[in-house]
Amino acid sequence: MKTKLFITGSSGFIGFHVAKRYLDKGYKVRGFDSMNNYYDVKLKKSRLKILKKYKNFSFTKGNLENQRILDYSISKFKVSHIWSTPWTVNSKKS
């Protein structure tokens, strides 16, 4: 079985680069991201557009707090590894 990675936060900075690196190596990747507006949604959408060009990439929009969507996405994809990268900056906005 080919390695299948499930990457949370796949449209964020770290998640995008992790996903792209493994896609470039031929791995199958399922991205998972809430696409929230914590920072520029246009940037997240442009990253997602790049990832969607790979035939081995699929995507689910959802929140990690939604256990039903998370469980379904993981089981449907038959994940072999999970890489969790849902980071946010913890600083005051001025």
Side-chain angles (χ1 to χ4, degrees):
M1 178 173 95
K2 192 165 195 129
T3 302
K4 294 181 174 183
L5 301 172
F6 186 86
I7 300 176
T8 64
S10 60
S11 296
F13 180 79
I14 296 170
F16 167 75
H17 286 88
V18 170
K20 189 170 181 322
R21 169 169 251 188
Y22 282 102
L23 287 164
D24 286 340
K25 291 182 178 187
Y27 288 78
K28 291 188 176 188
V29 174
R30 162 84 77 184
F32 189 90
D33 201 299
S34 67
M35 302 298 287
N36 66 29
N37 63 355
Y38 188 81
Y39 67 90
D40 190 2
V41 176
K42 288 180 186 176
L43 179 58
K44 291 180 179 186
K45 286 181 179 180
S46 69
R47 290 177 181 149
L48 181 57
K49 186 176 179 180
I50 292 167
L51 295 176
K52 284 184 173 180
K53 291 179 182 177
Y54 289 86
K55 66 178 181 168
N56 289 340
F57 180 77
S58 58
F59 179 76
T60 300
K61 181 179 177 182
N63 291 313
L64 291 173
E65 295 86 9
N66 188 328
Q67 193 68 46
R68 185 183 58 78
I69 291 174
L70 188 59
D71 288 345
Y72 177 76
S73 297
I74 290 171
S75 64
K76 182 179 176 186
F77 189 59
K78 297 185 171 101
V79 173
S80 55
H81 296 82
I82 297 175
W83 194 301
S84 186
T85 63
W87 304 101
T88 57
V89 177
N90 190 12
S91 63
K92 292 182 181 180
K93 290 186 177 184
S94 52

